[in-house]
Coordinates of all heavy atoms in Angstrom, one line a residue:
M3 N 0.8 -1.2 0.0 CA 0.0 0.0 0.0 C 0.9 1.2 0.0 O 1.8 1.4 0.8 CB -0.9 0.0 1.2 CG -1.6 1.3 1.5 SD -2.9 1.3 2.6 CE -2.2 1.2 4.2
A4 N 0.6 2.2 -0.9 CA 1.4 3.4 -1.0 C 1.0 4.3 0.2 O -0.2 4.4 0.5 CB 1.1 4.1 -2.3
L5 N 1.9 5.0 0.8 CA 1.7 5.9 1.9 C 1.2 7.2 1.3 O 1.8 7.8 0.4 CB 2.9 6.1 2.7 CG 3.5 4.9 3.3 CD1 4.8 5.3 4.0 CD2 2.6 4.3 4.3
S6 N 0.0 7.7 1.7 CA -0.5 8.9 1.2 C -0.8 10.0 2.2 O -1.0 11.1 1.8 CB -1.8 8.6 0.4 OG -2.8 8.0 1.2
K7 N -0.9 9.6 3.5 CA -1.3 10.6 4.5 C -0.5 10.4 5.7 O -0.3 9.3 6.3 CB -2.8 10.4 4.9 CG -3.3 11.6 5.7 CD -4.8 11.4 6.1 CE -5.7 11.6 4.9 NZ -7.1 11.6 5.4
I8 N 0.1 11.5 6.2 CA 1.0 11.5 7.3 C 0.4 12.4 8.4 O 0.1 13.5 8.2 CB 2.4 12.1 6.9 CG1 3.0 11.3 5.8 CG2 3.3 12.3 8.1 CD1 4.2 11.9 5.1
L9 N 0.4 11.8 9.6 CA -0.1 12.5 10.8 C 1.2 13.1 11.4 O 2.1 12.4 11.7 CB -0.8 11.6 11.8 CG -1.3 12.4 13.0 CD1 -2.8 12.2 13.2 CD2 -0.5 12.0 14.2
V10 N 1.2 14.4 11.6 CA 2.3 15.1 12.2 C 2.0 15.4 13.7 O 1.2 16.2 14.0 CB 2.6 16.4 11.5 CG1 3.8 17.1 12.1 CG2 2.8 16.1 10.0
A11 N 2.6 14.6 14.6 CA 2.4 14.7 16.0 C 3.4 15.6 16.7 O 4.0 15.2 17.7 CB 2.3 13.3 16.6
N12 N 3.7 16.7 16.0 CA 4.7 17.7 16.5 C 3.9 19.0 16.4 O 2.9 19.1 15.8 CB 5.9 17.7 15.7 CG 6.7 16.4 15.7 OD1 6.4 15.5 15.0 ND2 7.7 16.4 16.5
R13 N 4.6 20.1 16.9 CA 4.0 21.4 16.7 C 5.2 22.4 16.4 O 6.3 22.0 16.5 CB 3.2 21.8 17.9 CG 4.1 21.9 19.2 CD 3.2 22.3 20.4 NE 4.0 22.3 21.6 CZ 3.5 22.6 22.8 NH1 2.2 22.9 22.9 NH2 4.3 22.7 23.8
G14 N 4.8 23.6 16.1 CA 5.8 24.6 15.8 C 6.6 24.4 14.6 O 6.1 23.8 13.6
E15 N 7.8 24.8 14.6 CA 8.7 24.8 13.4 C 9.0 23.4 12.9 O 9.0 23.1 11.7 CB 10.0 25.5 13.7 CG 10.9 25.6 12.5 CD 10.4 26.2 11.2 OE1 9.5 27.1 11.3 OE2 10.8 25.8 10.1
I16 N 9.1 22.4 13.9 CA 9.4 21.0 13.5 C 8.2 20.5 12.6 O 8.3 19.9 11.6 CB 9.6 20.1 14.7 CG1 10.9 20.5 15.3 CG2 9.6 18.7 14.3 CD1 11.2 19.9 16.7
A17 N 7.0 20.8 13.1 CA 5.8 20.3 12.4 C 5.7 21.0 11.0 O 5.4 20.3 10.0 CB 4.5 20.7 13.2
C18 N 6.0 22.3 10.9 CA 6.0 23.0 9.6 C 7.0 22.4 8.7 O 6.7 22.3 7.5 CB 6.3 24.5 9.9 SG 5.0 25.3 10.8
R19 N 8.2 22.1 9.1 CA 9.2 21.5 8.2 C 8.7 20.1 7.7 O 8.9 19.8 6.6 CB 10.5 21.3 9.0 CG 11.2 22.6 9.2 CD 12.5 22.4 10.0 NE 13.1 23.7 10.3 CZ 14.3 23.9 10.8 NH1 15.0 22.8 11.1 NH2 14.7 25.0 11.1
I20 N 8.1 19.3 8.6 CA 7.6 18.0 8.2 C 6.5 18.2 7.2 O 6.5 17.5 6.1 CB 7.1 17.2 9.4 CG1 8.3 16.8 10.3 CG2 6.4 15.9 8.9 CD1 7.9 16.3 11.7
I21 N 5.6 19.1 7.4 CA 4.5 19.3 6.5 C 5.0 19.8 5.1 O 4.5 19.3 4.1 CB 3.5 20.3 7.1 CG1 2.8 19.7 8.3 CG2 2.5 20.8 6.0 CD1 2.0 20.7 9.2
R22 N 5.9 20.7 5.1 CA 6.5 21.2 3.8 C 7.1 20.0 3.0 O 6.9 19.9 1.8 CB 7.6 22.3 4.1 CG 7.0 23.6 4.3 CD 8.1 24.7 4.3 NE 7.7 25.7 5.2 CZ 8.1 25.9 6.4 NH1 9.1 25.2 6.9 NH2 7.7 26.9 7.2
A23 N 7.9 19.2 3.7 CA 8.6 18.1 3.1 C 7.5 17.1 2.5 O 7.7 16.6 1.4 CB 9.5 17.4 4.1
A24 N 6.5 16.8 3.3 CA 5.5 15.8 2.9 C 4.8 16.4 1.7 O 4.5 15.6 0.7 CB 4.5 15.6 4.0
K25 N 4.5 17.6 1.7 CA 3.8 18.2 0.5 C 4.6 18.2 -0.8 O 4.1 17.9 -1.9 CB 3.3 19.6 0.8 CG 2.1 19.6 1.8 CD 1.6 21.0 2.0 CE 0.4 20.9 2.9 NZ -0.5 22.1 2.8
K26 N 6.0 18.4 -0.6 CA 6.9 18.3 -1.7 C 6.8 16.9 -2.3 O 7.1 16.7 -3.5 CB 8.3 18.6 -1.3 CG 8.5 20.1 -1.2 CD 10.0 20.4 -0.9 CE 10.2 21.9 -0.8 NZ 11.6 22.2 -0.5
L27 N 6.6 15.9 -1.5 CA 6.5 14.5 -1.9 C 5.1 14.1 -2.3 O 4.8 12.9 -2.7 CB 6.9 13.6 -0.8 CG 8.4 13.7 -0.3 CD1 8.7 12.9 0.9 CD2 9.3 13.2 -1.5
G28 N 4.2 15.1 -2.3 CA 2.8 14.8 -2.8 C 1.9 14.1 -1.7 O 0.9 13.4 -2.1
K29 N 2.3 14.1 -0.5 CA 1.6 13.4 0.6 C 0.6 14.4 1.3 O 0.9 15.6 1.5 CB 2.5 12.8 1.6 CG 3.6 12.0 1.1 CD 3.1 10.8 0.3 CE 4.2 9.9 -0.2 NZ 3.7 8.9 -1.1
S30 N -0.5 13.9 1.7 CA -1.5 14.7 2.5 C -1.0 14.7 3.9 O -0.3 13.8 4.4 CB -2.9 14.0 2.5 OG -3.4 14.1 1.2
T31 N -1.3 15.8 4.7 CA -0.9 15.9 6.0 C -2.0 16.1 7.0 O -3.0 16.8 6.6 CB 0.2 17.0 6.2 OG1 -0.4 18.2 5.7 CG2 1.4 16.7 5.4
V32 N -1.8 15.7 8.2 CA -2.8 15.9 9.3 C -2.0 16.4 10.5 O -1.0 15.8 10.9 CB -3.5 14.6 9.7 CG1 -4.5 14.8 10.9 CG2 -4.2 14.0 8.5
S33 N -2.3 17.6 11.0 CA -1.7 18.1 12.2 C -2.6 17.8 13.4 O -3.8 17.8 13.3 CB -1.5 19.6 12.1 OG -0.4 20.0 11.4
V34 N -2.0 17.5 14.5 CA -2.7 17.5 15.8 C -2.4 18.8 16.5 O -1.3 19.3 16.3 CB -2.4 16.2 16.6 CG1 -2.8 15.0 15.9 CG2 -0.9 16.2 17.0
Y35 N -3.3 19.2 17.3 CA -3.1 20.5 18.0 C -3.9 20.5 19.3 O -4.9 19.8 19.5 CB -3.5 21.7 17.2 CG -5.0 21.7 16.8 CD1 -5.8 22.5 17.6 CD2 -5.5 21.0 15.8 CE1 -7.2 22.5 17.3 CE2 -6.8 21.1 15.5 CZ -7.7 21.8 16.2 OH -9.0 21.9 16.0
S36 N -3.4 21.3 20.3 CA -4.1 21.5 21.5 C -5.0 22.7 21.3 O -4.9 23.5 20.4 CB -3.1 21.7 22.7 OG -2.5 23.0 22.5
K37 N -6.0 22.8 22.2 CA -6.9 23.9 22.1 C -6.2 25.3 22.0 O -6.7 26.1 21.2 CB -7.9 23.9 23.3 CG -9.0 24.9 23.3 CD -10.0 24.6 24.4 CE -11.3 24.5 23.7 NZ -12.1 23.4 23.8
V38 N -5.2 25.5 22.7 CA -4.5 26.8 22.7 C -3.7 27.0 21.4 O -3.3 28.1 21.1 CB -3.6 27.0 23.9 CG1 -4.3 27.0 25.2 CG2 -2.4 26.0 24.0
D39 N -3.4 25.9 20.6 CA -2.7 26.0 19.4 C -3.6 26.1 18.1 O -3.1 25.9 17.0 CB -1.7 24.9 19.2 CG -0.6 24.9 20.2 OD1 -0.2 26.1 20.6 OD2 -0.1 23.9 20.6
T40 N -4.9 26.3 18.3 CA -5.9 26.3 17.2 C -5.5 27.1 16.0 O -5.6 26.7 14.9 CB -7.2 26.7 17.8 OG1 -7.6 25.9 18.8 CG2 -8.3 26.7 16.7
D41 N -4.9 28.3 16.3 CA -4.5 29.2 15.2 C -3.1 29.1 14.8 O -2.6 30.0 14.1 CB -4.9 30.6 15.5 CG -6.4 30.8 15.7 OD1 -7.2 30.2 14.9 OD2 -6.8 31.5 16.6
S42 N -2.4 28.1 15.2 CA -0.9 28.0 14.9 C -0.7 27.7 13.4 O -1.5 27.1 12.7 CB -0.3 26.9 15.8 OG -0.4 27.3 17.1
L43 N 0.5 28.0 13.0 CA 0.9 27.9 11.6 C 0.8 26.4 11.2 O 0.3 26.1 10.1 CB 2.3 28.4 11.3 CG 2.8 28.3 9.9 CD1 1.8 29.0 8.9 CD2 4.2 28.9 9.8
H44 N 1.3 25.5 12.0 CA 1.3 24.1 11.6 C -0.2 23.5 11.4 O -0.4 22.7 10.6 CB 2.0 23.2 12.6 CG 1.4 22.9 13.9 ND1 1.3 23.8 14.9 CD2 0.7 21.8 14.3 CE1 0.7 23.3 15.9 NE2 0.3 22.1 15.6
V45 N -1.1 24.1 12.1 CA -2.5 23.7 12.0 C -3.0 24.2 10.6 O -3.7 23.5 9.9 CB -3.4 24.2 13.1 CG1 -4.8 23.9 12.9 CG2 -2.8 23.6 14.4
R46 N -2.7 25.5 10.3 CA -3.2 26.1 9.1 C -2.5 25.5 7.8 O -3.1 25.4 6.8 CB -2.9 27.6 9.1 CG -3.7 28.3 10.1 CD -3.7 29.8 10.0 NE -2.4 30.4 9.8 CZ -1.6 30.9 10.7 NH1 -2.0 30.8 12.0 NH2 -0.4 31.4 10.4
M47 N -1.3 25.0 8.0 CA -0.5 24.4 6.8 C -1.0 23.1 6.4 O -1.0 22.7 5.3 CB 0.9 24.3 7.2 CG 1.7 25.7 7.1 SD 3.4 25.4 7.6 CE 4.1 24.5 6.2
A48 N -1.5 22.3 7.4 CA -1.9 20.9 7.1 C -3.2 20.8 6.3 O -4.0 21.7 6.4 CB -2.0 20.2 8.5
D49 N -3.3 19.7 5.6 CA -4.5 19.5 4.9 C -5.7 19.2 5.8 O -6.9 19.6 5.5 CB -4.4 18.3 3.9 CG -3.3 18.5 2.9 OD1 -3.4 19.5 2.2 OD2 -2.3 17.7 2.9
E50 N -5.4 18.6 6.9 CA -6.5 18.3 8.0 C -5.8 18.6 9.3 O -4.6 18.6 9.5 CB -6.9 16.8 8.0 CG -7.6 16.4 6.7 CD -7.9 14.9 6.8 OE1 -8.6 14.5 7.7 OE2 -7.4 14.1 5.9
A51 N -6.7 18.8 10.3 CA -6.2 19.1 11.7 C -7.2 18.5 12.7 O -8.4 18.5 12.5 CB -6.0 20.5 12.0
V52 N -6.6 17.9 13.8 CA -7.4 17.3 14.8 C -7.0 17.8 16.2 O -5.8 17.7 16.5 CB -7.3 15.7 14.8 CG1 -8.1 15.0 15.9 CG2 -7.7 15.2 13.4
E53 N -8.0 18.3 16.9 CA -7.7 18.7 18.3 C -7.5 17.5 19.2 O -8.4 16.6 19.1 CB -8.8 19.6 18.8 CG -8.5 20.2 20.2 CD -9.6 21.0 20.8 OE1 -10.1 21.9 20.0 OE2 -9.9 20.8 21.9
V54 N -6.4 17.5 20.0 CA -6.2 16.3 20.8 C -6.2 16.6 22.3 O -5.9 15.7 23.1 CB -4.8 15.7 20.5 CG1 -4.9 15.0 19.1 CG2 -3.7 16.7 20.6
G55 N -6.7 17.8 22.7 CA -6.8 18.1 24.1 C -6.7 19.6 24.4 O -6.4 20.4 23.5
P56 N -6.7 19.9 25.7 CA -6.6 21.3 26.2 C -5.1 21.7 26.1 O -4.2 21.0 25.6 CB -7.0 21.2 27.6 CG -6.8 19.8 28.0 CD -7.0 19.0 26.8
G57 N -4.8 22.9 26.6 CA -3.5 23.5 26.4 C -2.3 22.7 26.9 O -1.3 22.6 26.2
P58 N -2.2 22.2 28.1 CA -1.0 21.6 28.6 C -0.6 20.4 27.7 O -1.5 19.6 27.4 CB -1.3 21.1 30.0 CG -2.5 22.0 30.4 CD -3.3 22.3 29.2
A59 N 0.7 20.3 27.4 CA 1.1 19.2 26.5 C 0.8 17.8 27.1 O 0.5 16.9 26.4 CB 2.6 19.3 26.3
A60 N 0.9 17.7 28.5 CA 0.6 16.5 29.1 C -0.8 16.0 28.9 O -1.1 14.8 29.1 CB 0.9 16.6 30.6
E61 N -1.7 17.0 28.6 CA -3.1 16.6 28.4 C -3.5 16.6 26.9 O -4.7 16.5 26.6 CB -4.0 17.6 29.2 CG -3.8 17.6 30.7 CD -4.6 18.6 31.4 OE1 -5.6 19.1 30.9 OE2 -4.2 19.0 32.5
S62 N -2.6 16.8 26.0 CA -2.9 16.8 24.6 C -1.8 16.1 23.8 O -2.0 14.9 23.5 CB -3.0 18.3 24.2 OG -1.8 19.0 24.5
Y63 N -0.7 16.7 23.5 CA 0.3 16.1 22.6 C 0.9 14.9 23.2 O 1.4 14.0 22.4 CB 1.4 17.2 22.3 CG 0.9 18.4 21.5 CD1 0.7 19.6 22.2 CD2 0.8 18.3 20.2 CE1 0.2 20.7 21.5 CE2 0.3 19.4 19.5 CZ 0.1 20.6 20.1 OH -0.4 21.7 19.4
L64 N 1.0 14.8 24.5 CA 1.6 13.6 25.1 C 0.6 12.5 25.5 O 1.0 11.5 26.1 CB 2.5 14.0 26.3 CG 3.6 15.0 25.9 CD1 4.3 15.4 27.2 CD2 4.5 14.4 24.9
K65 N -0.6 12.7 25.1 CA -1.6 11.6 25.4 C -1.6 10.7 24.2 O -2.2 11.0 23.2 CB -3.0 12.2 25.6 CG -3.2 13.0 26.9 CD -3.4 12.0 28.0 CE -4.0 12.7 29.2 NZ -4.3 11.8 30.2
I66 N -1.0 9.6 24.4 CA -0.8 8.6 23.3 C -2.1 8.2 22.7 O -2.2 8.1 21.4 CB 0.1 7.4 23.7 CG1 1.5 7.9 24.1 CG2 0.1 6.3 22.7 CD1 2.3 6.9 24.8
D67 N -3.1 7.9 23.5 CA -4.4 7.4 23.0 C -5.0 8.5 22.1 O -5.6 8.1 21.1 CB -5.3 7.0 24.1 CG -4.9 5.8 24.9 OD1 -4.1 5.0 24.3 OD2 -5.3 5.6 26.0
N68 N -4.9 9.7 22.4 CA -5.4 10.8 21.6 C -4.8 10.9 20.2 O -5.4 11.1 19.2 CB -5.3 12.1 22.3 CG -6.2 12.2 23.6 OD1 -6.8 11.2 24.0 ND2 -6.1 13.3 24.3
I69 N -3.5 10.7 20.2 CA -2.7 10.8 19.0 C -3.1 9.6 18.1 O -3.3 9.7 16.9 CB -1.2 10.8 19.2 CG1 -0.8 12.0 20.1 CG2 -0.4 10.8 17.9 CD1 -1.0 13.3 19.6
I70 N -3.1 8.4 18.7 CA -3.5 7.2 17.9 C -4.9 7.3 17.4 O -5.2 7.0 16.2 CB -3.3 5.9 18.8 CG1 -1.8 5.8 19.2 CG2 -3.8 4.7 18.0 CD1 -0.9 5.6 18.0
Q71 N -5.8 7.8 18.2 CA -7.2 8.0 17.7 C -7.3 9.0 16.6 O -8.0 8.8 15.6 CB -8.1 8.5 18.9 CG -9.6 8.6 18.5 CD -10.2 7.4 17.9 OE1 -9.9 6.3 18.3 NE2 -10.9 7.5 16.8
A72 N -6.5 10.1 16.6 CA -6.5 11.1 15.5 C -6.0 10.4 14.3 O -6.5 10.6 13.2 CB -5.6 12.2 15.9
A73 N -4.9 9.6 14.4 CA -4.4 8.9 13.2 C -5.5 7.9 12.6 O -5.7 7.9 11.4 CB -3.2 8.1 13.6
K74 N -6.1 7.2 13.5 CA -7.1 6.2 13.0 C -8.3 7.0 12.3 O -8.8 6.6 11.3 CB -7.6 5.4 14.1 CG -6.6 4.3 14.6 CD -7.1 3.5 15.7 CE -6.1 2.4 16.1 NZ -6.6 1.6 17.2
S75 N -8.8 8.0 13.0 CA -10.0 8.7 12.5 C -9.7 9.5 11.2 O -10.7 9.7 10.4 CB -10.5 9.7 13.5 OG -9.6 10.8 13.7
T76 N -8.5 9.8 10.9 CA -8.2 10.4 9.6 C -7.6 9.5 8.5 O -7.3 9.9 7.4 CB -7.1 11.6 9.8 OG1 -5.9 11.0 10.4 CG2 -7.7 12.6 10.8
G77 N -7.4 8.2 8.9 CA -6.8 7.3 8.0 C -5.4 7.5 7.7 O -4.9 7.1 6.6
S78 N -4.6 8.1 8.6 CA -3.2 8.3 8.4 C -2.4 7.0 8.5 O -2.7 6.2 9.4 CB -2.7 9.3 9.5 OG -3.4 10.5 9.4
Q79 N -1.5 6.8 7.6 CA -0.7 5.6 7.6 C 0.6 5.8 8.3 O 1.2 4.8 8.7 CB -0.4 5.2 6.1 CG -1.6 4.7 5.4 CD -2.0 5.7 4.3 OE1 -1.5 6.8 4.2 NE2 -2.9 5.3 3.5
V80 N 1.1 7.0 8.4 CA 2.4 7.3 9.1 C 2.2 8.3 10.2 O 1.4 9.2 10.0 CB 3.4 7.8 8.1 CG1 4.7 8.2 8.7 CG2 3.6 6.8 6.9
R81 N 2.9 8.1 11.3 CA 2.7 9.1 12.4 C 4.2 9.5 12.8 O 5.0 8.7 13.0 CB 2.1 8.5 13.6 CG 0.7 7.9 13.4 CD 0.4 6.9 14.5 NE -0.5 5.8 14.3 CZ -0.5 4.9 13.3 NH1 0.3 4.9 12.4 NH2 -1.4 4.0 13.3
T82 N 4.4 10.8 12.8 CA 5.6 11.3 13.3 C 5.5 11.3 14.9 O 4.5 11.3 15.4 CB 6.0 12.7 12.8 OG1 5.0 13.6 13.3 CG2 6.0 12.7 11.3
K83 N 6.7 11.4 15.5 CA 6.6 11.3 17.0 C 6.9 12.7 17.6 O 7.6 13.5 17.0 CB 7.7 10.4 17.5 CG 7.6 9.0 17.2 CD 8.7 8.2 17.8 CE 8.7 6.7 17.3 NZ 9.8 6.0 17.9
V84 N 6.3 13.0 18.7 CA 6.6 14.2 19.5 C 8.0 13.9 20.1 O 8.2 12.9 20.7 CB 5.6 14.5 20.6 CG1 6.0 15.6 21.4 CG2 4.2 14.7 19.9
R85 N 8.9 14.8 19.9 CA 10.3 14.5 20.2 C 10.6 14.4 21.7 O 11.4 13.7 22.1 CB 11.2 15.6 19.7 CG 11.3 15.5 18.2 CD 12.1 16.7 17.6 NE 13.3 16.9 18.5 CZ 14.4 17.5 18.0 NH1 14.4 18.0 16.8 NH2 15.4 17.8 18.8
A86 N 9.9 15.1 22.5 CA 10.2 15.2 23.9 C 9.9 13.9 24.6 O 10.7 12.9 24.5 CB 9.4 16.3 24.6
L87 N 8.9 13.8 25.4 CA 8.7 12.7 26.3 C 8.2 11.4 25.5 O 8.5 10.3 25.9 CB 7.7 13.0 27.4 CG 8.1 14.2 28.3 CD1 6.9 14.5 29.2 CD2 9.3 13.8 29.1
I88 N 7.4 11.7 24.5 CA 6.7 10.5 23.9 C 7.7 9.6 23.2 O 7.4 8.4 23.2 CB 5.6 11.1 22.9 CG1 4.4 10.3 23.0 CG2 6.1 11.1 21.5 CD1 3.2 11.0 22.3
T89 N 8.8 10.0 22.8 CA 9.8 9.2 22.1 C 10.4 8.1 23.1 O 10.8 7.1 22.6 CB 10.9 10.0 21.4 OG1 11.5 10.8 22.4 CG2 10.4 10.8 20.3
S90 N 10.3 8.5 24.3 CA 10.9 7.5 25.3 C 9.9 6.6 25.9 O 10.2 5.7 26.7 CB 11.6 8.3 26.4 OG 10.6 9.0 27.2
K91 N 8.6 6.7 25.5 CA 7.6 5.8 26.0 C 7.4 4.6 25.1 O 7.1 4.7 23.9 CB 6.3 6.6 26.1 CG 6.3 7.7 27.1 CD 4.9 8.2 27.3 CE 4.9 9.2 28.5 NZ 3.6 9.6 28.8
A92 N 7.7 3.5 25.7 CA 7.6 2.2 24.9 C 6.2 2.0 24.3 O 6.0 1.5 23.2 CB 8.0 1.0 25.8
E93 N 5.1 2.4 25.1 CA 3.8 2.2 24.6 C 3.5 3.0 23.3 O 2.6 2.6 22.5 CB 2.7 2.5 25.7 CG 2.7 3.9 26.1 CD 3.4 4.2 27.4 OE1 4.4 3.5 27.8 OE2 2.9 5.1 28.1
M94 N 4.2 4.1 23.0 CA 3.9 4.8 21.8 C 4.4 3.9 20.6 O 3.7 3.8 19.6 CB 4.7 6.1 21.8 CG 4.5 6.9 20.5 SD 2.8 7.4 20.3 CE 3.0 8.5 18.9
G95 N 5.5 3.4 20.7 CA 6.0 2.5 19.6 C 5.1 1.3 19.4 O 4.8 1.0 18.3
K96 N 4.6 0.7 20.5 CA 3.7 -0.4 20.4 C 2.4 0.0 19.8 O 1.9 -0.6 18.9 CB 3.5 -1.0 21.8 CG 2.6 -2.2 21.8 CD 2.3 -2.7 23.2 CE 1.3 -3.9 23.1 NZ 0.8 -4.2 24.4
S97 N 1.9 1.2 20.2 CA 0.6 1.7 19.7 C 0.7 2.0 18.2 O -0.2 1.7 17.5 CB 0.1 2.9 20.5 OG -0.1 2.6 21.8
C98 N 1.8 2.6 17.8 CA 2.0 2.9 16.4 C 2.1 1.7 15.5 O 1.7 1.7 14.4 CB 3.2 3.8 16.2 SG 2.9 5.5 16.8
S99 N 2.6 0.6 16.0 CA 2.8 -0.6 15.2 C 1.5 -1.4 15.1 O 1.4 -2.3 14.3 CB 3.9 -1.5 15.8 OG 3.5 -2.0 17.1
E100 N 0.5 -1.1 15.9 CA -0.7 -1.9 15.9 C -1.7 -1.4 14.8 O -1.9 -0.5 14.3 CB -1.4 -1.8 17.2 CG -0.6 -2.5 18.3 CD -1.2 -2.4 19.7 OE1 -2.1 -1.6 19.9 OE2 -0.8 -3.1 20.6

Protein backbone atom coordinates (compact mmCIF):
# COMPACT_ATOMS: atom_id res chain seq x y z
CA MET A 1 0.00 0.00 0.00
CA ALA A 2 1.37 3.40 -0.97
CA LEU A 3 1.67 5.91 1.85
CA SER A 4 -0.53 8.90 1.16
CA LYS A 5 -1.33 10.58 4.49
CA ILE A 6 1.03 11.55 7.29
CA LEU A 7 -0.07 12.50 10.79
CA VAL A 8 2.32 15.09 12.22
CA ALA A 9 2.37 14.68 16.00
CA ASN A 10 4.65 17.67 16.51
CA ARG A 11 4.02 21.40 16.71
CA GLY A 12 5.78 24.61 15.85
CA GLU A 13 8.69 24.78 13.42
CA ILE A 14 9.35 21.04 13.46
CA ALA A 15 5.77 20.35 12.36
CA CYS A 16 5.98 23.01 9.65
CA ARG A 17 9.16 21.46 8.24
CA ILE A 18 7.61 17.99 8.18
CA ILE A 19 4.48 19.32 6.47
CA ARG A 20 6.51 21.18 3.82
CA ALA A 21 8.57 18.06 3.08
CA ALA A 22 5.48 15.84 2.90
CA LYS A 23 3.77 18.22 0.49
CA LYS A 24 6.87 18.26 -1.74
CA LEU A 25 6.49 14.48 -1.90
CA GLY A 26 2.78 14.80 -2.75
CA LYS A 27 1.56 13.43 0.59
CA SER A 28 -1.48 14.68 2.52
CA THR A 29 -0.85 15.88 6.05
CA VAL A 30 -2.78 15.88 9.30
CA SER A 31 -1.71 18.09 12.21
CA VAL A 32 -2.70 17.47 15.77
CA TYR A 33 -3.09 20.46 18.04
CA SER A 34 -4.11 21.49 21.53
CA LYS A 35 -6.93 23.91 22.14
CA VAL A 36 -4.48 26.79 22.68
CA ASP A 37 -2.71 26.05 19.37
CA THR A 38 -5.86 26.28 17.24
CA ASP A 39 -4.54 29.19 15.16
CA SER A 40 -0.93 28.00 14.91
CA LEU A 41 0.87 27.85 11.59
CA HIS A 42 1.27 24.06 11.60
CA VAL A 43 -2.51 23.71 11.95
CA ARG A 44 -3.17 26.08 9.05
CA MET A 45 -0.55 24.45 6.83
CA ALA A 46 -1.87 20.90 7.15
CA ASP A 47 -4.55 19.46 4.88
CA GLU A 48 -6.46 18.31 7.97
CA ALA A 49 -6.17 19.05 11.68
CA VAL A 50 -7.45 17.25 14.79
CA GLU A 51 -7.68 18.72 18.27
CA VAL A 52 -6.17 16.31 20.80
CA GLY A 53 -6.85 18.10 24.09
CA PRO A 54 -6.55 21.27 26.16
CA GLY A 55 -3.49 23.50 26.44
CA PRO A 56 -1.01 21.59 28.59
CA ALA A 57 1.10 19.18 26.52
CA ALA A 58 0.60 16.46 29.14
CA GLU A 59 -3.13 16.63 28.41
CA SER A 60 -2.87 16.81 24.62
CA TYR A 61 0.29 16.14 22.59
CA LEU A 62 1.63 13.59 25.07
CA LYS A 63 -1.63 11.63 25.40
CA ILE A 64 -0.77 8.63 23.25
CA ASP A 65 -4.35 7.41 22.98
CA ASN A 66 -5.45 10.80 21.61
CA ILE A 67 -2.69 10.78 18.98
CA ILE A 68 -3.49 7.22 17.90
CA GLN A 69 -7.22 8.02 17.72
CA ALA A 70 -6.46 11.06 15.55
CA ALA A 71 -4.42 8.87 13.20
CA LYS A 72 -7.13 6.24 12.98
CA SER A 73 -9.97 8.74 12.49
CA THR A 74 -8.16 10.43 9.60
CA GLY A 75 -6.84 7.29 7.95
CA SER A 76 -3.20 8.34 8.39
CA GLN A 77 -0.71 5.61 7.57
CA VAL A 78 2.38 7.27 9.08
CA ARG A 79 2.75 9.06 12.38
CA THR A 80 5.64 11.28 13.35
CA LYS A 81 6.64 11.34 17.00
CA VAL A 82 6.61 14.19 19.46
CA ARG A 83 10.31 14.51 20.21
CA ALA A 84 10.17 15.19 23.93
CA LEU A 85 8.66 12.65 26.29
CA ILE A 86 6.68 10.54 23.89
CA THR A 87 9.76 9.15 22.10
CA SER A 88 10.92 7.52 25.30
CA LYS A 89 7.60 5.82 25.99
CA ALA A 90 7.57 2.21 24.88
CA GLU A 91 3.78 2.20 24.59
CA MET A 92 3.95 4.81 21.80
CA GLY A 93 6.02 2.48 19.64
CA LYS A 94 3.72 -0.41 20.42
CA SER A 95 0.59 1.65 19.69
CA CYS A 96 1.97 2.90 16.38
CA SER A 97 2.80 -0.59 15.23
CA GLU A 98 -0.72 -1.88 15.88
